[in-house]
Amino acid sequence: MKNLIIVSLFLMAACKEEKKKEAVIRQESLPKEIVPAENKPNESEEAKEWLEKSIKNYFKEDLRSLDKEMQEITTKEYYEYKTDAMNVDMDVDGSLTLKEFQDKWKGKFDTDKAGINSGFLISGQDWINIEVRNCDLKSSSENSYVFHAVLADDGFKAKYSRQIKVIKSKDRFLIADVIEEE
């Protein structure tokens, strides 16, 4: 009986030591990024501010500079996609038919919401003063943010509702997709 009590005490002590070791291991195995993340600025807020500023600056550009400005604020892939969408069935070099456009981009973008034959960010060809009325974070994942934005032009009494995907690539933000809503 004495041996049973002594063995039980050793087992209990051993179990307590094992729990202490396990707690230490868990604490040490935490990624080191967790500690500084508390001090990291809110990246989604930075992306939102960048997006609002980029939209404002885009619509203040000279008409001859719009294409270059669009290239500066979008990913290369989205720029090519939107350029193809704007030129579907147009009489210009490289223009695609609607079917060719859909086949080319169907696996990467929602071609039904591309804004076929309409401009970048707005469907109007002309504008007076585009303003960002709302820009709310809809969802986010690592280095990717989707905003619901409402752009307005009071001069033409027009509003444009858009879902805009912004990614962070090489320490800068870029527009990776624009879903045009009705």
Side-chain angles (χ1 to χ4, degrees):
M1 180 79 162
K2 253 185 181 181
N3 289 339
L4 186 59
I5 292 173
I6 293 172
V7 170
S8 296
L9 288 174
F10 280 122
L11 286 173
M12 287 172 43
C15 287
K16 284 185 181 179
E17 286 297 314
E18 187 64 34
K19 285 183 182 177
K20 285 182 185 176
K21 286 181 185 175
E22 188 176 308
V24 170
I25 291 170
R26 284 187 187 153
Q27 192 172 18
E28 290 174 358
S29 66
L30 290 175
K32 292 183 181 179
E33 302 123 70
I34 289 177
V35 176
E38 295 171 7
N39 298 328
K40 184 179 178 184
N42 186 344
E43 199 166 80
S44 65
E45 191 60 36
E46 288 178 28
K48 175 183 175 178
E49 290 171 9
W50 174 86
L51 179 61
E52 290 174 334
K53 182 180 175 185
S54 295
I55 292 170
K56 181 180 176 182
N57 290 343
Y58 175 80
F59 286 104
K60 291 191 187 263
E61 277 292 321
D62 181 68
L63 290 176
R64 293 173 293 207
S65 303
L66 287 178
D67 187 61
K68 183 178 183 216
E69 183 66 19
M70 182 180 164
Q71 288 180 48
E72 291 291 319
I73 63 173
T74 62
T75 64
K76 182 179 178 185
E77 185 174 55
Y78 178 74
Y79 172 79
E80 292 171 8
Y81 165 72
K82 185 57 184 175
T83 301
D84 282 350
M86 289 188 289
N87 294 320
V88 166
D89 290 326
M90 296 283 200
D91 191 19
V92 294
D93 287 341
S95 176
L96 304 172
T97 66
L98 180 59
K99 173 95 170 91
E100 290 170 333
F101 172 76
Q102 290 169 335
D103 289 344
K104 179 177 179 179
W105 296 106
K106 67 182 170 191
K108 296 178 182 179
F109 294 95
D110 183 353
T111 58
D112 293 332
K113 298 189 179 180
I116 304 291
N117 300 121
S118 69
F120 174 57
L121 296 170
I122 65 170
S123 56
Q125 291 183 352
D126 296 315
W127 61 88
I128 295 172
N129 184 34
I130 300 292
E131 294 178 356
V132 180
R133 291 284 165 82
N134 294 49
C135 188
D136 301 313
L137 182 65
K138 184 176 175 182
S139 66
S140 67
S141 60
E142 190 175 333
N143 297 326
S144 177
Y145 309 92
V146 177
F147 295 94
H148 174 257
V150 176
L151 310 180
D153 185 349
D154 291 338
F156 281 114
K157 296 183 180 9
K159 286 188 181 178
Y160 308 95
S161 182
R162 304 290 185 254
Q163 300 294 325
I164 303 174
K165 180 179 180 180
V166 174
I167 63 164
K168 187 164 189 180
S169 175
K170 298 179 184 173
D171 294 328
R172 65 182 274 211
F173 294 107
L174 296 168
I175 295 172
D177 195 8
V178 178
I179 303 293
E180 298 196 16
E181 302 171 327
E182 294 302 319

